[in-house]
Amino acid sequence: MSVDFDSLRSDLRGLDGDLYLTHLFAPAAHRDGLLSLYYAYADIARIPDSISEPMIGAIRLQWWRDLHSGLAEGRAGDSPIGAALLACGLTSEAFLPLIDGREAALDGEAFAAQSARAASADRVGPALMRLSLEVLDVSDAEVIEIATLGGRGFELLRLTAANMPEQAQAAAALLTQAVSAFNRLPRQTRKAALPAFLPIGLAHFQAQHWPAQKSLLVYQWKILKMALRGRL
């Protein structure tokens, strides 16, 4: 089936405004790849918070696993996001942590523990960042190491509720380390990897002001500033 990236882009805007904004700064050749990855991430991430009971969430996660199995065999079925992932080559086993890492969140009571959230962040965040770099054709080992650190902080912050100051501090510390390390990279290395790291830079900014939230215009300006400077 043909891929309607414009429809996916419109849907991503509603699913995850931050990722929608940051993906727009990717080079044209890689933009649809990041769009497809971010859409999948955002759609899977919302499952635990959109279900009435764990079994429903487990069924939805299994749908994603079945889709991934089909993609590995070159089959997308009638799924628009499946067709997009297939077209962009996002079919590797590296995608599975985005699904499996959400399993623990289906049990809301158990997932209230910071240790459970940290474990989930350690699986999902680095996987998202590594896939982002794969889309951008960035394979530098140092960049991947920094991305792993930043991904953990990014996802941990997203799993932090307003009554979890210690978890917010832990996320902020990881993000600060990642941002500092990224900004020390050579200019050309930063340039190639920057589109994948814009969500990390934005999350770092949000962590610095946690739990307060800024306006959309402030976030847009922050992303534009990072994109123009080539630094987080």
Side-chain angles (χ1 to χ4, degrees), residues 91-193:
T91 62
S92 72
E93 293 293 305
F95 187 87
L96 287 175
L98 299 185
I99 306 170
D100 297 338
R102 300 295 177 189
E103 196 81 44
L106 300 180
D107 184 346
E109 184 175 345
F111 201 62
Q114 183 172 334
S115 59
R117 292 175 182 251
S120 178
D122 287 349
R123 296 189 73 183
V124 175
L128 175 65
M129 288 300 297
R130 289 169 187 159
L131 286 167
S132 300
L133 292 175
E134 181 181 310
V135 168
L136 297 172
D137 294 325
V138 174
S139 57
D140 184 282
E142 185 178 8
V143 174
I144 293 173
E145 183 178 354
I146 298 169
T148 298
L149 185 66
R152 290 170 55 207
F154 170 84
E155 189 62 30
L156 188 60
L157 185 67
R158 288 190 156 218
L159 295 175
T160 299
N163 63 342
M164 299 177 178
E166 291 184 0
Q167 183 170 305
Q169 291 171 5
L174 291 168
L175 289 164
T176 296
Q177 292 178 55
V179 166
S180 297
F182 179 84
N183 287 340
R184 289 195 298 268
L185 291 170
R187 181 177 180 277
Q188 286 302 115
T189 303
R190 294 199 315 269
K191 181 178 180 181

Side-chain angles (χ1 to χ4, degrees), residues 55-66:
M55 182 59 70
I56 296 174
I59 292 171
R60 292 179 61 183
L61 289 179
Q62 187 58 47
W63 180 90
W64 273 101
R65 292 190 186 97
D66 293 342

Side-chain angles (χ1 to χ4, degrees), residues 67-106:
L67 175 64
H68 179 268
S69 295
L71 295 179
E73 299 173 358
R75 297 182 287 103
D78 59 355
S79 166
I81 182 56
L85 292 169
L86 186 61
C88 297
L90 287 163
T91 62
S92 72
E93 293 293 305
F95 187 87
L96 287 175
L98 299 185
I99 306 170
D100 297 338
R102 300 295 177 189
E103 196 81 44
L106 300 180

